[in-house]
């Protein structure tokens, strides 16, 4: 029986999501409430008008799915996190809470319009004095460690220490380190938790595919979530000590559908030609409009920035900035040339020829009226069959519960073995003023 009250959030994807007291406190912070004003898919609503959903709902959804997935995997397996049944129960409860906090806070550092503005962070020095680019994960860590969220996480730690003992502490540093995979050494339990957030089976993907599909009004991202989660289990490796995520053999088709859903969403939604245009143009506009061309690195200042503030800035600059004007008035440029989804070396060579012809033909206007997109690149999955080894912690093991036979998803799935060529779409966009000339040039080249 719980010794605390839970609140419930009604979610359009997962139904009711239960939230514990310290989780609710995190949700009520300024940093988390900011996520209500960070769209999950940037300016995708310019193409799929329903795509108004935010990082707020996604973060709650990932916490819910991480909990379901963890309980499914742990609940059906004989693996013991402690020799004593009593300690094992304590540790499972503790690990579940750590995972929930990681899932809830994992997107706190996202910039306005999410990944579209990913390259607008500054740089910092690492421990060796090297200059490295700041990422949204770095900003997430800063927000957790240097705002009230860190104190709230310590409150959760105090609760578990009081209930189960000193070794069951939870700290903000622990949450950050497990999510990033840093400083966890050979702690197999923490490595196990990381797989729920960063693997080919992670709950971040599970949520965003269903959520994005729903709000975009498409079916590409749908898969059998209930079946996939119900078939999760634990594989302990050759040493029988290191827990990893595995799938019961009955879940192979559900996993294939999950991978295919991600592939189709990238091809038809995330890499949609007009959506990609707005990603590119937003980055260019902000580099010219933001003070110093980047978001502030100071946490308190950074938290002032959300989609609303960016749009106000772009509106203010739209009379003097062509890129800002294009966004504010939704006047997108035309895509006059694009490669196939999987162009191969031949397709990339042809793109380079076409692009070079554009540079010669429009040499005076190329920099201001032509845009290249060479970043619509993604592997359908990170499973490399010829390198897939059951001793690799990232390998998805397939367990036949009737015979206890263990294999890998690459062994069992022709779809996974076949779907290895990366999506690599190249495009050229042009300003409306040169569109007809550009289309004529493309016809001449292709003719």
């Amino acid at each position: 029986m719980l010794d605390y009250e839970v609140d419930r959030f009604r979610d359009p994807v997962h139904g009711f999501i239960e939230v514990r007291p310290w989780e609710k406190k995190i949700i009520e912070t300024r940093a988390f409430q900011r996520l209500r004003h960070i769209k999950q898919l940037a300016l995708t609503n310019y193409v799929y008008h329903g795509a108004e959903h935010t990082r707020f709902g996604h973060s709650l959804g990932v916490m819910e799915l991480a909990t379901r997935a963890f309980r499914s995997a742990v609940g059906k397996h004989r693996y013991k996190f402690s020799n004593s049944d009593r300690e094992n129960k304590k540790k499972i409860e503790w690990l579940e809470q750590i995972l929930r906090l990681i899932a809830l806070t994992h997107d706190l550092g996202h910039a306005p319009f999410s990944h579209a503005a990913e390259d607008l962070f500054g740089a910092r020095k690492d421990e060796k004095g090297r200059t490295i680019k700041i990422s949204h994960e770095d900003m997430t860590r800063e927000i957790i460690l240097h705002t009230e969220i860190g104190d709230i996480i310590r409150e959760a730690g105090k609760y578990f220490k009081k209930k189960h003992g000193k070794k069951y502490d939870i700290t903000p540093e622990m949450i950050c380190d497990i999510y990033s995979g840093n400083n966890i050494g050979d702690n197999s339990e923490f490595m196990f938790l990381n797989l729920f957030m960063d693997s080919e089976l992670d709950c971040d993907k599970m949520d965003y595919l269903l959520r994005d599909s729903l709000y975009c009004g498409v079916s590409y991202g749908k898969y059998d979530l209930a079946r996939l989660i119900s078939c999760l289990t634990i594989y302990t490796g050759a040493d029988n000590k290191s827990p990893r995520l595995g799938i019961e053999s009955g879940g192979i088709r559900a996993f294939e559908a999950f991978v295919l859903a991600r592939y189709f969403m990238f091809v038809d939604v995330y890499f949609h030609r007009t959506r990609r245009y707005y990603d590119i143009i937003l980055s260019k506009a902000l580099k010219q409009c933001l003070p110093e061309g980047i978001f502030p690195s100071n946490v308190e200042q950074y938290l002032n920035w959300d989609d609303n503030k960016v749009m106000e800035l772009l509106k203010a600059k739209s009379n003097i900035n062509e890129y800002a004007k294009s966004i504010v008035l939704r006047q997108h440029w035309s895509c006059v040339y694009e490669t196939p989804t999987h162009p191969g070396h031949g397709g990339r060579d042809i793109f380079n020829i076409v692009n070079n012809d554009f540079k010669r033909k429009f040499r005076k206007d190329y920099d201001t009226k032509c845009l290249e997109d060479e970043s619509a690149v993604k592997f359908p999955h990170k499973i490399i069959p010829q390198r897939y080894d059951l001793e690799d912690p990232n390998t998805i093991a397939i367990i036949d519960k009737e015979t206890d036979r263990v294999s890998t998803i690459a062994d069992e799935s022709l779809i996974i073995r076949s779907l290895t060529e990366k999506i690599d779409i190249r495009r050229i966009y042009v300003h409306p003023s040169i569109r007809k000339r550009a289309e004529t040039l493309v016809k001449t080249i292709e003719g």
Side-chain angles (χ1 to χ4, degrees):
M1 184 174 179
L2 297 177
D3 55 0
Y4 53 78
E5 292 184 0
V6 297
D7 281 87
R8 297 199 300 172
F9 286 69
R10 186 189 286 273
D11 185 73
V13 181
H14 306 303
F16 282 110
I17 295 174
E18 290 191 346
V19 173
R20 300 167 186 179
W22 38 87
E23 295 160 359
K24 186 181 179 184
K25 284 186 178 181
I26 290 174
I27 292 167
E28 290 175 342
T29 63
R30 171 192 175 202
F32 199 92
Q33 289 294 314
R34 170 180 171 269
L35 298 182
R36 290 185 184 273
H37 308 292
I38 306 289
K39 286 190 177 69
Q40 178 81 4
L41 294 181
L43 291 164
T44 301
N45 61 314
Y46 276 18
V47 181
Y48 299 95
H49 69 262
E52 300 279 353
H53 57 304
T54 66
R55 294 277 159 182
F56 182 93
H58 168 64
S59 298
L60 289 170
V62 177
M63 182 177 70
E64 172 67 14
L65 291 189
T67 306
R68 292 185 197 175
F70 178 82
R71 289 176 177 175
S72 177
V74 172
K76 68 163 60 75
H77 197 272
R78 296 185 298 274
Y79 180 81
K80 297 290 186 182
F81 292 93
S82 293
N83 292 329
S84 157
D85 287 343
R86 184 179 178 186
E87 285 300 310
N88 187 59
K89 186 177 179 181
K90 290 180 182 179
K91 184 162 279 190
I92 288 173
E93 183 183 346
W94 178 65
L95 291 173
E96 179 183 295
Q97 182 60 76
I98 292 170
L99 179 58
R100 285 175 64 86
L101 289 169
I102 293 169
L104 183 65
T105 60
H106 81 284
D107 269 353
L108 285 172
H110 264 294
F113 295 104
S114 298
H115 291 291
E118 186 76 21
D119 61 344
L120 294 165
F121 292 108
R124 63 178 176 84
K125 298 287 186 180
D126 67 6
E127 62 277 2
K128 295 182 179 179
R130 297 172 298 191
T131 300
I132 59 173
K133 184 74 174 171
I134 294 172
S135 67
H136 77 266
E137 289 90 354
D138 295 320
M139 289 306 300
T140 294
R141 185 181 186 92
E142 290 297 304
I143 291 167
I144 291 174
L145 297 183
H146 298 114
T147 69
E148 61 191 302
I149 290 175
D151 295 329
I152 297 169
I153 291 171
R154 290 187 188 94
E155 283 183 30
K158 288 177 182 177
Y159 169 85
F160 276 86
K161 284 195 294 182
K162 182 178 179 181
K163 184 175 182 180
H164 295 316
K166 290 184 179 180
K167 66 181 179 180
Y168 292 101
D169 194 11
I170 301 174
T171 67
E173 291 80 9
M174 174 192 295
I175 297 302
C176 295
D177 288 343
I178 296 173
Y179 178 50
S180 66
N182 296 327
N183 303 319
I184 58 177
D186 59 356
N187 188 318
S188 61
E189 294 160 359
F190 289 168
M191 290 172 65
F192 178 59
L193 292 186
N194 175 266
L195 295 174
F196 288 91
M197 294 299 300
D198 185 19
S199 71
E200 291 305 293
L201 261 174
D202 72 52
C203 299
D204 186 20
K205 296 182 184 71
M206 288 185 193
D207 182 81
Y208 78 62
L209 288 175
L210 293 175
R211 193 169 300 274
D212 294 350
S213 180
L214 172 67
Y215 281 97
C216 288
V218 301
S219 297
Y220 308 121
K222 295 179 181 178
Y223 62 94
D224 193 342
L225 172 67
R227 180 61 171 165
L228 181 61
I229 286 183
S230 73
C231 289
L232 293 180
T233 187
I234 293 176
Y235 170 64
T236 55
D239 60 4
N240 204 34
K241 295 179 180 179
S242 305
R244 306 172 192 172
L245 266 180
I247 304 175
E248 292 176 337
S249 55
I252 292 173
R253 302 298 165 252
F255 179 74
E256 290 174 334
F258 175 59
V259 171
L260 287 172
R262 184 165 175 258
Y263 172 78
F264 292 137
M265 284 295 283
F266 270 97
V267 171
D268 290 307
V269 176
Y270 307 143
F271 290 163
H272 184 286
R273 62 173 67 181
T274 307
R275 202 202 90 84
R276 284 292 305 148
Y277 165 80
Y278 282 111
D279 277 0
I280 299 165
I281 219 74
L282 177 66
S283 178
K284 288 182 174 291
L286 288 176
K287 283 177 182 176
Q288 296 178 3
C289 296
L290 282 171
E292 301 181 19
I294 56 174
F295 292 112
S297 57
N298 175 274
V299 169
E300 287 301 311
Q301 294 175 6
Y302 179 72
L303 290 176
N304 290 325
W305 285 90
D306 59 19
D307 292 5
N308 297 332
K309 184 164 183 172
V310 165
M311 284 304 295
E312 288 303 313
L313 174 66
L314 296 180
K315 287 175 183 177
K317 300 288 187 179
S318 61
N319 60 328
I320 58 173
N321 187 287
E322 185 74 23
Y323 298 136
K325 179 181 177 181
S326 178
I327 292 169
V328 171
L329 299 181
R330 196 186 173 277
Q331 295 176 338
H332 62 271
W333 297 7
S334 300
C335 176
V336 293
Y337 184 80
E338 70 177 319
T339 65
T341 302
H342 302 282
H345 292 298
R348 290 194 289 274
D349 290 342
I350 294 171
F351 173 82
N352 291 331
I353 292 170
V354 173
N355 201 28
N356 287 333
D357 282 346
F358 266 74
K359 289 178 180 178
R360 285 192 294 269
K361 180 71 174 179
F362 301 107
R363 56 184 178 275
K364 292 182 180 178
D365 295 323
Y366 187 86
D367 290 337
T368 57
K369 294 186 177 180
C370 296
L371 287 173
E372 303 170 48
D373 180 15
E374 296 184 319
S375 57
V377 178
K378 196 77 176 180
F379 279 100
H381 54 73
K382 296 178 182 177
I383 299 167
I384 305 174
Q386 58 270 33
R387 299 183 195 170
Y388 221 48
D389 184 344
L390 276 170
E391 299 313 306
D392 183 338
N394 294 308
T395 293
I396 298 175
I398 304 297
I399 296 95
D400 188 323
K401 61 183 181 180
E402 301 297 330
T403 64
D404 287 331
R405 175 179 174 269
V406 180
S407 57
T408 74
I409 190 65
D411 294 327
E412 301 295 335
S413 172
L414 177 62
I415 290 175
I416 298 301
R417 292 198 302 275
S418 302
L419 197 64
T420 55
E421 187 178 345
K422 69 180 176 182
I423 302 165
D424 190 8
I425 305 169
R426 313 292 177 97
R427 296 185 174 111
I428 300 173
Y429 300 87
V430 298
H431 189 275
S433 64
I434 64 169
R435 175 182 173 179
K436 289 185 178 179
R437 291 162 56 203
E439 288 174 342
T440 300
L441 176 59
V442 169
K443 287 180 182 177
T444 302
I445 295 170
E446 290 180 336

